[in-house]
Amino acid sequence: IIDVDATTVDYLAKVKNIQDFSQGVLTSGLDLTQQNIKYVVTGKRQPCNNEFEVCPPSYFAPVETETEDLDINFVTAFADFDWDIIESWIFKLGVSANQNDFNDQQFLEPRVAVKWSFTDDYQLKVAYGQHHQWFRKYQYLSDTFGAPDLELARSEHYVFGLEYEGASDWAWRLETYYKEMFDLIVANPAAQTDSLNDSAAAQDNYLNEGTGKAYGIEFLVNKAISENWYGWLSIAYSKTERVNEITDESFNYQFDLPWIVNLVANYEINDKWQLGGRWRLQSGSLYTPITGAAPVYVEGQDEPLFYDPIEGEFNSQRLEEFHRLDVRLDYKTEWFGYDTDVYFEVLNLYGQQSLEGYDYNEDYTEREEEYQFPSSPIPSIGVKMVF
């Protein structure tokens, strides 16, 4: 749809100062960055952000080409102060001032965190921060394919956590978070071409008309090495939502994975041999169901040019859960006077076939299941030497 040939060169100058005071530490500094981007873009001018919609067929859109050489300058000044209020309280206050000359956007990002050790073993944490994200796609910077007047997406984070770290080998952390997102990038429907006889008017290809939120809770327990073994377990539940303010549609974000579980363990059999394993479980990915297809004809031809799929509700269905076990056996030795690790590893030990999506035929009347790699056990042998 779009072919981008781009070269990016960054020049960075950074100064950082750390000063100790009787009640805390002040860290301050300045970042100066110049980013040179040379690119050639050729493709269909069909604006679409598939995080917010199913993209219209690219066939309908005109082909455009653009060559550009951009110099973008960034200035960031930052400071934060770690203040030990009393022995059991730590207060951290920070701020970052940012400016770029691409869209002449200026903003302040405040951040604050408070930690309270209410016993020798337990600690409470409350934090807030604001962040902006630079454009993730080159096409957003383009006059032809993007919209140079776009602003950076902004988010506000809130965190509350409880930690335990005692004298034993065990430690755990329970943390919950909430994040709001603003000025997310959404394709402008008025700039899209959705039929052979349609041509989009001259419009901004993208608009800052998306919002979103994410929230969740995570429990992590960690065991330090003792009795020849160590490991950790994390269990997380989260929810991520988006709203297209142009169409007033709200939906689950495409990477919304409510449940994620990781279990990692390693056992030292002796000084030479180690056995480890990693098991992961996560909710299945979201997808938009296809309920049929409409043939697209060119005047004078009996056979359809292609079939335009008819989609159901955006991101309304979820694939089955993914889970997999990987195991590894390591043998530590010495070859030619160098520390060497010889290992035997098996990915997807029990051969779980996890559905990744569907592949449809031309008119969308049939579909085949596609599975994540590897869909069967994959053994391997490797050698690592440290010089």
Side-chain angles (χ1 to χ4, degrees):
I1 298 174
I2 290 182
D3 179 58
V4 181
D5 183 6
T7 302
T8 301
V9 179
D10 290 334
Y11 299 93
L12 170 66
K14 181 174 183 177
V15 59
K16 184 176 181 180
N17 178 261
I18 300 175
Q19 291 181 286
D20 290 328
F21 295 92
S22 58
Q23 288 188 310
V25 178
L26 174 65
T27 303
S28 59
L30 182 70
D31 285 357
L32 302 174
T33 303
Q34 183 186 66
Q35 186 175 79
N36 175 258
I37 305 173
K38 296 180 181 179
Y39 66 83
V40 178
V41 183
T42 301
K44 298 283 190 173
R45 189 174 64 82
Q46 181 75 294
C48 179
N49 184 349
N50 56 16
E51 296 179 5
F52 282 86
E53 65 176 329
V54 175
C55 296
S58 60
Y59 186 89
F60 299 141
V63 176
E64 305 274 2
T65 298
E66 182 183 15
T67 301
E68 187 60 85
D69 187 347
L70 294 175
D71 283 316
I72 306 173
N73 296 292
F74 303 87
V75 179
T76 301
F78 60 91
D80 63 72
F81 186 67
D82 282 344
W83 182 18
D84 298 328
I85 304 174
I86 57 177
E87 184 177 354
S88 59
W89 286 85
I90 298 176
F91 179 73
K92 185 172 183 177
L93 178 64
V95 65
S96 174
N98 302 269
Q99 179 183 8
N100 75 81
D101 63 1
F102 177 75
N103 57 11
D104 294 322
Q105 192 172 0
Q106 303 174 5
F107 47 83
L108 291 175
E109 296 177 330
R111 287 144 200 184
V112 60
V114 178
K115 293 183 179 181
W116 175 37
S117 300
F118 58 93
T119 71
D120 291 339
D121 298 336
Y122 290 90
Q123 185 179 84
L124 277 174
K125 178 179 71 173
V126 179
Y128 164 81
Q130 189 179 108
H131 303 269
H132 291 75
Q133 184 182 63
W134 183 245
F135 305 114
R136 292 184 294 172
K137 297 180 180 179
Y138 284 114
Q139 69 191 71
Y140 294 150
L141 307 177
S142 164
D143 287 322
T144 303
F145 296 91
D149 292 332
L150 286 172
E151 295 186 352
L152 302 186
R154 173 173 60 91
S155 63
E156 295 185 356
H157 300 238
Y158 304 84
V159 176
F160 176 80
L162 174 64
E163 299 178 2
Y164 167 79
E165 189 171 351
S168 70
D169 301 322
W170 294 88
W172 57 265
R173 181 183 74 218
L174 182 66
E175 191 169 274
T176 183
Y177 68 91
Y178 179 80
K179 179 170 70 171
E180 288 188 292
M181 290 157 279
F182 310 91
D183 296 328
L184 301 179
I185 297 174
V186 178
N188 184 357
Q192 294 177 328
T193 307
D194 56 11
S195 72
L196 290 173
N197 300 318
D198 181 35
S199 59
Q203 301 278 346
D204 289 332
N205 292 313
Y206 296 93
L207 303 170
N208 290 111
E209 292 294 337
T211 58
K213 61 182 178 180
Y215 51 90
I217 186 169
E218 180 180 15
F219 176 71
L220 172 67
V221 59
N222 182 75
K223 182 189 178 298
I225 187 166
S226 64
E227 300 177 344
N228 297 331
W229 77 280
Y230 65 90
W232 55 272
L233 167 69
S234 69
I235 303 174
Y237 175 80
S238 63
K239 196 67 179 172
T240 307
E241 301 169 352
R242 294 286 189 271
V243 177
N244 187 331
E245 301 292 347
I246 299 176
T247 61
D248 201 30
E249 292 178 288
S250 59
F251 45 86
N252 291 325
Y253 183 47
Q254 63 176 337
F255 298 118
D256 177 63
L257 301 172
W259 288 102
I260 298 179
V261 180
N262 287 290
L263 176 61
V264 176
N266 196 81
Y267 179 69
E268 295 184 348
I269 302 171
N270 52 44
D271 292 340
K272 296 287 188 180
W273 293 90
Q274 291 187 26
L275 178 64
R278 177 181 60 198
W279 184 74
R280 180 178 176 89
L281 166 72
Q282 71 181 38
S283 300
S285 301
L286 292 170
Y287 71 98
T288 302
I290 294 178
T291 59
V296 177
Y297 292 93
V298 175
E299 186 177 353
Q301 291 186 358
D302 295 332
E303 294 296 323
L305 187 64
F306 65 91
Y307 289 85
D308 186 4
I310 301 172
E311 291 87 4
E313 187 177 350
F314 187 55
N315 286 352
S316 60
Q317 294 193 14
R318 188 179 297 277
L319 300 174
E320 61 188 22
E321 292 83 3
F322 162 87
H323 55 92
R324 194 177 94 182
L325 174 63
D326 302 333
V327 295
R328 174 166 163 160
L329 180 65
D330 286 79
Y331 175 68
K332 297 185 181 297
T333 183
E334 189 175 284
W335 286 1
F336 311 108
Y338 299 108
D339 291 335
T340 302
D341 181 15
V342 182
Y343 61 88
F344 174 72
E345 187 174 44
V346 181
L347 303 179
N348 195 10
L349 181 66
Y350 51 77
Q352 170 66 20
Q353 290 188 323
S354 297
L355 189 62
E356 186 175 47
Y358 299 101
D359 183 27
Y360 292 84
N361 65 348
E362 183 182 16
D363 60 1
Y364 294 88
T365 56
E366 299 178 2
R367 70 180 187 183
E368 294 182 359
E369 296 179 338
E370 294 185 333
Y371 295 95
Q372 294 190 30
F373 176 86
S375 58
S376 61
I378 300 291
S380 64
I381 297 176
V383 177
K384 181 175 69 176
M385 297 180 68
V386 180
F387 297 93

